[in-house]
Amino acid sequence: MLIKDKRGQGGVEYLLLLGGVIVVAIAAIMIYQSYFDMGSGGEPVDVTMNITHINSNFALKYVYQVNDTTNNTNSRIRSNSGQFQYLNRGQTNSVYLGKMDPGSSFNVMVAVGWPIPHQNDLAGSDWTGNNRWVRVDLAMGDDVTSWVVAGPYDWRNNPSGAVIKSFTVPGAGGGILNLKDDIFEVRNKTMP
């Protein structure tokens, strides 16, 4: 009789062990799913971009454009309308990009320099952007990503010298950098 009781006890122990493994597996799946589904159902986040001149005593020209790429679209969110703007050393241009829903994606393009001088260029400005740098700080919720862009930019060449980065908003905690396309070839060429 003792032998039969031990067999039953061993069977129950195996069932309890199997049940414990199943509970742990379900918990792991739920944690995994919540980690990768951060972007669904979360609150919209504020997205802000700061562009700061960090090199040279001369004013520089820069241009930026932010495009919504959610669901394979490519519509403009904000830009300085293809018109280069001036930044003096240490000056910052803050751009509020709005509230973005989790799962939305967007590209940020920033370029320094303009290959054709203009009669209204600021005195002492460096229109070419050679060896002129801006730092871009992109804040999504609590997360801030920074990168540096160097001139020159030349829209006539491919590659152009622009820096393009792509982001996805996963949830209220911040964003994920998906892609970096930093093009150096134009910067090593002599501008005409």
Side-chain angles (χ1 to χ4, degrees):
M1 188 125 188
L2 291 174
I3 294 174
K4 288 183 181 179
D5 288 342
K6 286 185 177 180
R7 285 184 189 161
Q9 182 179 354
V12 170
E13 289 174 352
Y14 282 122
L15 285 174
L16 286 173
L17 180 62
L18 179 62
V21 168
I22 291 172
V23 167
V24 169
I26 290 172
I29 289 170
M30 291 174 68
I31 291 169
Y32 179 84
Q33 184 178 12
S34 68
Y35 177 78
F36 284 100
D37 287 344
M38 288 185 297
S40 59
E43 295 293 320
V45 295
D46 285 312
V47 181
T48 304
M49 179 174 65
N50 291 326
I51 302 172
T52 304
H53 181 341
I54 58 171
N55 184 30
S56 164
N57 293 321
F58 300 102
L60 59 75
K61 289 182 176 181
Y62 76 100
V63 67
Y64 73 88
Q65 183 165 321
V66 181
N67 283 7
D68 181 0
T69 57
T70 308
N71 298 324
N72 296 319
T73 61
N74 195 22
S75 57
R76 187 179 336 191
I77 298 173
R78 288 289 301 270
S79 74
N80 48 2
S81 302
Q83 300 298 315
F84 275 69
Q85 294 178 329
Y86 289 100
L87 275 181
N88 293 312
R89 181 179 174 88
Q91 184 179 4
T92 298
N93 181 22
S94 293
V95 181
Y96 180 63
L97 300 174
K99 285 193 176 288
M100 295 192 185
D101 292 324
S104 58
S105 59
F106 59 98
N107 285 342
V108 176
M109 184 281 291
V110 178
V112 177
W114 181 254
I116 299 174
H118 190 271
Q119 61 185 4
N120 295 328
D121 279 352
L122 295 176
S125 67
D126 179 22
W127 55 271
T128 66
N130 280 306
N131 300 314
R132 304 299 183 251
W133 303 75
V134 295
R135 185 184 71 242
V136 183
D137 300 302
L138 184 80
M140 285 191 286
D142 300 330
D143 188 34
V144 177
T145 303
S146 299
W147 65 96
V148 173
V149 180
Y153 165 71
D154 189 344
W155 81 92
R156 300 168 296 180
N157 293 336
N158 186 12
S160 66
V163 176
I164 303 167
K165 290 184 180 273
S166 183
F167 296 89
T168 299
V169 180
I176 297 174
L177 175 65
N178 284 341
L179 174 68
K180 176 181 176 185
D181 186 10
D182 191 350
I183 303 170
F184 290 99
E185 288 88 338
V186 170
R187 297 174 194 150
N188 297 326
K189 293 180 182 175
T190 303
M191 301 287 284

